[in-house]
Amino acid sequence: MTSMDITATSEWAALARHARELQAAGVDLAGLFETDPDRPGRCTSTAGELVIDWSRHLATDETVELLLALAERAGVAARIEAMLAGEPVNVTDGRAVLHTALRTPAGEAVVTGGVDVAPAIAAERERMGAFVRALCSGERRGATDLPIRTVVNIGIGGSQLGPAMAHEALAAFRSGDLECRFVSNVDPAALAAGLDGLDPAETLFIVVSKGFATAETLANARAARDWAAPVLGFEAAGRHFVAVTANRRRAVEFGIEPYDVFATWDWVGGRFSMGSAAGLAVMAAVGEENFAAMLAGMRTIDEHVAAGPAASVPTLLGLLSVWYRDFWGIQTRAVVPYSQRLRLFGVWLQQVIMESNGKRVRLDGSPVGCDTAEIVWGGPGTDSQHSFHQLLHQGTTVVPADFIVLARPDADVVGVAGAAERHEALVANCFAQAAALAFGSPTAEGDPHRELPGNRPSTVILAPALTPSVLGQLVALYEHQTAVQGAVWGINSFDQFGVELGKTLADGIAADLQAGTAPADTGHDPSTKSLLAHYRRLREL
Ligand code: F6P
């Protein structure tokens, strides 16, 4: 199979020409609004409960037309439809990509490889619910018959980022009966913090690892067992561990009872897995109903996309990122939620976009010939305004920004004195930043130091409140954008071979460190040998 070179198409050439014309004409946002009073309305879209204002982009109607033509030429709609239909679109791993199946309503079939996977999803969801009910009611107790008070999720990457982000985002919906903590880093300080103040008799570990082979997760899971075993006994400590994995055998070998192993599947990519049993800790914290509402929110956007992938909002936003990346030479995108509890959203999104689309070859292995994923970074507003916004406004690098803001304060702070005013201040700051970026300041009395040039693009995503459903909608909005970007570039958004070499090298270096091999006698490259020598010397100081 030979992949199409999208950069060699007339649609790509037309966009390149169009970009050059806009750039030569000095297209500016203020001018776009001045000459087009309908722009704010026309360039505001809805998807589910999300209102997406994309009017402050360096794009005209013609740009959008040309981008949609590019998407059509790239076969974006067909790629998205194939993904939703369970075809093996992850060609390098030979797998379907069916995280959308996790949010399919009960009773609807989802067939992949000739098998309807819906019953397995429903059965696992039921097991998750039963487990959470048993945990919260005290029916599932620890080995010494004490109720479980704390759940510690041990996992990394997709087995932590989404669940930790959702757990934080949905703080207002936690029942409060059970505390949930997340440990990912192999740095011993991470587990130490995760275990601080806990009693092994009242603690349950959820080891989340799709492959159950991730070094950090296994090291932390072993260390957690070593922490619990002296208090509870080795066998009894096993009762304090459950697993979420697609590799049941390895989890059982680790010592987890088969009935305590929750399934995930090959066709759910780790970074898209928060709707699977990988979200067990989230369900434990917020309850089955709220978890279901989050899935329903994701489904709302899936349906929006399925209704017409060619013109959906995620398609448009994905195309705008291609526009900047490939036709404006822009390298990064800032994601700034004006919500304290969405502070981990950008961290989650970094894996979704950068692990998915940080690729340099097309499906057939040929070089892409254009730039792919942008670097995603950011942090919560208003804190971000006192940190990196200076660069957004006056730096020499243009950074398109995504602002996310909620119309109402979080449910649990609505009644707090002054919350409404402070929330309004939050919203005002968000809108002000988008305006300042777009329109800048008039030459401030001729003082160039004070001048903000403006003309810097942003999207504002406005939602009613940070509910489980809205969170699900936001997640799916970005998941689908990522798939659209990948489809345009003709890359596989669903593998991640780039992370493997580092793991192999780390294994070899760790083995040498443990064996005490003299750096010069190792088989590593000269710079690593030199680092090893410095490391030894510093260790011995
Ligand atoms: O970083 C590589 C990666 O494979 C991610 O894709 C994945 O989310 C993470 O490691 C954890 O993998 P696992 O769930 O198999 O432990």
Side-chain angles (χ1 to χ4, degrees):
M1 179 195 63
T2 312
S3 302
M4 182 195 5
D5 179 358
I6 192 69
T7 68
T9 61
S10 56
E11 287 79 1
W12 187 276
L15 269 162
R17 202 168 39 245
H18 175 63
R20 278 195 302 276
E21 282 164 10
L22 288 181
Q23 287 151 8
V27 64
D28 80 300
L29 288 168
L32 290 179
F33 279 92
E34 256 165 48
T35 54
D36 179 5
D38 295 338
R39 188 173 173 89
R42 216 181 48 261
C43 301
T44 300
S45 307
T46 54
E49 295 170 275
L50 309 178
V51 176
I52 297 114
D53 176 355
W54 50 276
S55 61
R56 290 179 209 80
H57 280 290
L58 295 163
T60 62
D61 290 349
E62 188 185 355
T63 316
V64 174
E65 267 167 43
L66 292 172
L67 284 168
L68 289 174
L70 184 76
E72 194 172 335
R73 182 64 184 264
V76 169
R79 285 276 299 275
I80 303 297
E81 277 159 15
M83 181 184 89
L84 297 174
E87 288 176 29
V89 295
N90 176 356
V91 290
T92 49
D93 291 314
R95 292 175 184 164
V97 176
L98 268 181
H99 46 280
T100 49
L102 301 168
R103 44 253 201 171
T104 300
E108 207 173 285
V110 185
V111 178
T112 180
V115 178
D116 179 7
V117 294
I121 296 170
E124 218 49 32
R125 186 77 36 74
E126 177 46 39
R127 291 188 63 224
M128 288 168 69
F131 175 77
V132 165
R133 288 193 295 276
L135 212 52
C136 294
S137 67
E139 189 191 320
R140 165 93 190 220
R141 291 175 171 258
T144 62
D145 212 31
L146 286 173
I148 299 298
R149 297 198 187 285
T150 308
V151 164
V152 181
N153 187 98
I154 297 181
I156 198 165
S159 296
Q160 182 260 348
L161 292 167
M165 180 273 287
H167 176 259
E168 173 87 15
L170 300 181
F173 297 84
R174 293 186 210 146
S175 71
D177 298 341
L178 214 54
E179 185 195 0
C180 290
R181 300 183 182 186
F182 293 83
V183 173
S184 52
N185 202 327
V186 75
D187 182 338
L191 186 65
L195 299 180
D196 187 37
L198 299 186
D199 175 354
E202 298 175 328
T203 304
L204 183 124
F205 297 93
I206 306 179
V207 185
V208 186
S209 179
K210 184 173 165 184
F212 224 82
T214 302
E216 294 97 319
T217 300
L218 294 186
N220 277 329
R222 281 190 211 102
R225 198 171 53 192
D226 292 345
W227 170 79
V231 180
L232 302 172
F234 190 83
E235 288 296 316
R239 245 191 96 59
H240 289 248
F241 283 79
V242 303
V244 178
T245 185
N247 197 325
R248 161 176 289 266
R249 183 183 54 78
R250 285 207 190 118
V252 172
E253 278 168 12
F254 178 85
I256 295 174
E257 296 291 348
Y259 56 79
D260 275 336
V261 179
F262 294 85
T264 180
W265 302 273
D266 273 352
W267 35 264
V268 181
R271 51 192 174 273
F272 302 100
S273 69
M274 57 186 278
S276 73
L280 188 57
V282 179
M283 188 193 268
V286 303
E288 285 175 271
E289 264 181 40
N290 287 318
F291 193 80
M294 180 181 81
L295 296 179
M298 294 173 177
R299 170 73 179 187
T300 302
I301 302 300
D302 296 343
E303 283 171 352
H304 167 89
V305 170
S312 74
V313 179
T315 299
L316 180 67
L317 297 178
L319 289 171
L320 282 169
S321 84
V322 171
W323 171 236
Y324 291 123
R325 193 74 189 93
D326 288 309
F327 300 97
W328 289 76
I330 285 174
Q331 297 195 339
T332 82
R333 162 157 44 160
V335 177
V336 183
Y338 274 75
S339 160
Q340 179 64 19
R341 283 172 176 160
L342 281 178
R343 74 191 168 89
L344 298 178
F345 194 80
V347 183
W348 162 78
L349 187 60
Q350 281 179 330
Q351 188 199 18
V352 170
I353 292 190
M354 291 159 73
E355 198 171 82
S356 298
N357 289 340
K359 308 285 165 65
R360 55 192 283 282
V361 296
R362 296 191 291 252
L363 292 172
D364 66 355
S366 56
V368 279
C370 61
D371 286 319
T372 58
E374 66 268 48
I375 297 160
V376 179
W377 59 286
T382 58
D383 292 19
S384 58
Q385 293 174 201
H386 302 272
S387 164
F388 56 78
H389 282 223
Q390 167 62 36
L391 181 148
L392 299 186
H393 291 293
Q394 287 187 313
T396 52
T397 302
V398 173
V399 183
D402 285 6
F403 297 117
I404 303 170
V405 65
L406 293 314
R408 293 196 295 274
D410 294 343
D412 57 337
V413 296
V414 163
V416 171
E421 289 77 10
R422 276 176 285 143
H423 184 78
E424 221 141 64
L426 182 73
V427 175
N429 271 279
C430 173
F431 292 174
Q433 290 299 312
L437 282 169
F439 307 120
S441 59
T443 311
E445 282 98 45
D447 181 352
H449 297 285
R450 291 171 203 275
E451 185 190 349
L452 272 68
N455 221 23
R456 300 191 171 204
S458 65
T459 304
V460 177
I461 301 172
L462 183 60
L466 190 50
T467 60
S469 172
V470 163
L471 178 68
Q473 292 170 50
L474 287 170
V475 164
L477 181 82
Y478 280 93
E479 287 176 344
H480 284 294
Q481 278 182 59
T482 307
V484 167
Q485 292 177 328
V488 172
W489 290 317
I491 58 178
N492 183 0
S493 301
F494 306 108
D495 61 12
Q496 59 279 327
F497 294 111
V499 302
E500 294 306 325
L501 175 61
K503 293 181 190 174
T504 309
L505 292 175
D507 284 349
I509 294 169
D512 284 329
L513 288 176
Q514 269 151 32
T517 314
D521 297 338
T522 66
H524 305 300
D525 63 86
S527 67
T528 303
K529 284 181 183 171
S530 164
L531 273 176
L532 285 170
H534 283 297
Y535 167 75
R536 298 206 149 204
R537 186 177 51 76
L538 292 175
R539 281 284 308 239
E540 280 152 22
L541 285 181

